[in-house]
Amino acid sequence: MPQDRWDPERYLAYAGERGRPFVELLARVAADSPRTVVDLGCGPGNLTRLLARRWPEASVLGVDSSPEMVAAARRDDPGSGVAFQVGDVRSWTPSGGPVDVLVSNATLQWVPGHLELLGGLVGHVAPDGWLALQVPGNFDEPSHVIRRELAAEEPYAAHTAGVAVPDAFGPEVYLEALTGLGCEVDAWETTYLHVLTGEDPVFTWVSGTGARPTLSALPEHLRPRFEAELKRRLREAYPARPYGVVLPFRRVFAVAQMKPRHGGRP
């Protein structure tokens, strides 16, 4: 099976649209002057640098499991002072003790059973600190359903069985889980209507994220045929309009503040 690698350039094809949820997530984090801020699942680092702008006095670290993403983040860092390292959300621990702000944006959907990780993530945050997460909530939309159905057909099924697929929960699940861990929680959801342009823009979008493992799993002699059929079905599901192609995209957010050990907010 071909090695599954992230493509930073493809991921950044719609950087503005992908960045909006991060900005809106960050707006609900009411930390005044944190000393340590971590972006867990930082990707190519373009959004991590927003953390350094928000809190210029803080030590900001971006962590990602993809060496390609971390390499791109380090290469494109314009002297912001942000540090980047390779690390896995399932095993990462802060080297200097609990952090003041821990952000996980569009990452946990790739981790099976990630609700079980929330206790550990909460444990990495200092009292009065903040945990902020965002995950896609659009897995029943045609962009995912079409890919799953096509991947289950022959001759593709033998190659795509068992590949990684993203999944997540609704805001009420994260509210319940984080409240049960002793946090004060703000959870919500938003559906964006992204207006995309260019040739086969929905394919370009999904090939950089949700469809990436499936495409990587296909041998070279089958991948062009699969891509052509996926593009055709996506064009039917998301027809072009005079102003572009509309991609509805539901996002789920949760911002949790750790309750101080003495109880109550200061």
Side-chain angles (χ1 to χ4, degrees), residues 155-168:
Y156 313 118
H159 303 282
T160 60
V163 300
V165 291
D167 197 15

Side-chain angles (χ1 to χ4, degrees), residues 74-244:
R74 289 171 174 166
R75 181 186 66 240
D76 298 336
D77 182 17
S80 67
V82 179
F84 295 97
Q85 67 179 217
V86 176
D88 193 314
V89 64
R90 294 167 294 186
S91 57
W92 176 84
T93 57
S95 60
V99 302
D100 297 313
V101 177
L102 180 58
V103 179
S104 179
N105 182 66
T107 297
L108 292 178
Q109 76 274 9
W110 289 108
V111 183
H114 64 257
L115 283 181
E116 299 175 3
L117 292 180
L118 293 182
L121 296 180
V122 166
H124 295 333
V125 180
D128 292 321
W130 299 80
L131 170 66
L133 67 89
Q134 182 270 125
V135 290
N138 66 330
F139 303 115
D140 293 328
E141 291 295 316
S143 58
H144 285 273
V145 174
I146 289 171
R147 186 258 308 154
R148 289 196 298 265
E149 292 176 346
L150 180 58
E153 297 176 7
E154 294 300 340
Y156 313 118
H159 303 282
T160 60
V163 300
V165 291
D167 197 15
F169 304 93
E172 67 284 351
V173 175
Y174 297 105
L175 172 66
E176 184 73 17
L178 290 168
T179 299
L181 291 168
C183 305
E184 295 181 359
V185 184
D186 181 11
W188 73 99
E189 65 179 70
T190 296
T191 297
Y192 300 89
L193 296 180
H194 296 306
V195 180
L196 309 180
T197 58
E199 184 177 358
D200 292 308
V202 178
F203 173 80
T204 300
W205 181 292
V206 301
S207 65
T209 51
R212 176 190 54 82
T214 299
L215 295 174
S216 297
L218 292 168
E220 291 186 6
H221 72 280
L222 286 180
R223 193 178 303 125
R225 176 178 165 189
F226 182 94
E227 290 183 350
E229 179 60 17
L230 180 57
K231 289 176 182 178
R232 185 190 69 78
R233 297 187 190 186
L234 289 173
R235 285 195 296 268
E236 289 185 355
Y238 300 93
R241 306 184 187 189
Y243 48 84

